[in-house]
Amino acid sequence: MSNKLDLSNSSFKTCLKKRHLLIPLVCLLLFIFIKYTIEFGSDLNDQSRIECLFCNIAHGRITPPKLEFENDEYVIFKDKSPAATYHYLAIPKQHFHSLKVLNKSHVGLVERMQNGMIDFLESKNVSIENAVIGFHIPPFISQKHLHLHGISPKSEMDLSNRISFFTPSFWFKSANDAIESLKDADL
């Protein structure tokens, strides 16, 4: 019996191939983690509602941005760092940290925000079939205030943004998936 490693063994080759697939995946996850902790690190500190940038925007205490749409529940405005030609955020006027703090009672709010974003994008002649509409999941959030992204066209997004807004993933959830999750959430 030989103690030498048989490099021609097919199970060894399969293991080696799997390892080569694992390395890019680990690098991708590391990239996402670093992007959000460095780029948005200052935004991830605790913010009171008074200091919350999105609360101040929603209530007109800070301008710009120009509010593109406003009703009693939420506002829509252009993202300051657009991932594509059309990149808007819908934020509720009431402060919610993120999608993670919502429950079954918030399904209606999220549905109205989603429908409002769809109607808004369609009013700009944007194809919804070529749009990304969804939420980032903590800790991958840029602001500690619930916000729905509406982005189109997907084809204009660079690699970094395609990764950042990739669905389904554990860092970004489509509005439809968020609504389904909330329907199952406890009150």
Side-chain angles (χ1 to χ4, degrees):
M1 200 156 149
S2 173
N3 288 335
K4 292 182 180 180
L5 181 62
D6 182 8
L7 297 180
S8 64
N9 184 333
S10 65
S11 63
F12 176 77
K13 288 180 180 180
T14 303
C15 181
L16 194 59
K17 286 180 184 178
K18 287 181 182 178
R19 188 176 294 167
H20 285 339
L21 293 175
L22 185 61
I23 291 170
L25 180 61
V26 169
C27 290
L28 174 65
L29 294 174
L30 184 62
F31 167 77
I32 292 167
F33 177 77
I34 290 171
K35 176 181 178 182
Y36 281 94
T37 55
I38 292 174
E39 185 176 336
F40 301 120
S42 62
D43 294 331
L44 293 176
N45 297 327
D46 285 333
Q47 299 170 327
S48 70
R49 290 182 185 157
I50 295 170
E51 295 172 343
C52 175
L53 174 65
F54 283 0
C55 282
N56 287 328
I57 290 171
H59 294 285
R61 294 189 290 261
I62 292 179
T63 55
K66 174 188 166 204
L67 299 182
E68 301 280 342
F69 174 84
E70 180 175 12
N71 66 18
D72 292 339
E73 280 189 301
Y74 63 90
V75 299
I76 296 176
F77 58 93
K78 190 161 185 68
D79 191 291
K80 73 174 185 170
S81 302
T85 301
Y86 300 97
H87 187 169
Y88 294 90
L89 300 177
I91 61 171
K93 290 185 174 183
Q94 183 177 352
H95 184 88
F96 297 102
H97 176 275
S98 69
L99 195 58
K100 291 284 189 182
V101 302
L102 303 184
N103 61 42
K104 190 180 291 193
S105 71
H106 299 103
V107 169
L109 170 65
V110 174
E111 285 176 335
R112 289 186 294 278
M113 288 173 63
Q114 176 192 31
N115 292 333
M117 180 63 78
I118 289 169
D119 291 346
F120 175 76
L121 291 173
E122 286 177 339
S123 77
K124 299 208 168 275
N125 296 317
V126 173
S127 168
I128 299 307
E129 290 77 36
N130 194 21
V132 174
I133 299 175
F135 300 91
H136 278 110
I137 306 298
F140 305 101
I141 56 175
S142 59
Q143 290 291 320
K144 287 188 173 184
H145 187 115
L146 180 68
H147 54 285
L148 172 72
H149 291 267
I151 307 167
S152 186
K154 290 185 233 181
S155 60
E156 288 184 4
M157 296 168 66
D158 64 23
L159 179 61
S160 173
N161 284 317
R162 286 176 192 246
I163 293 168
S164 184
F165 298 101
F166 180 74
T167 183
S169 64
F170 62 86
W171 59 86
F172 190 79
K173 187 176 276 199
S174 74
N176 287 331
D177 288 345
I179 291 166
E180 290 306 310
S181 294
L182 290 175
K183 287 178 179 177
D184 295 332
D186 293 331
L187 289 178

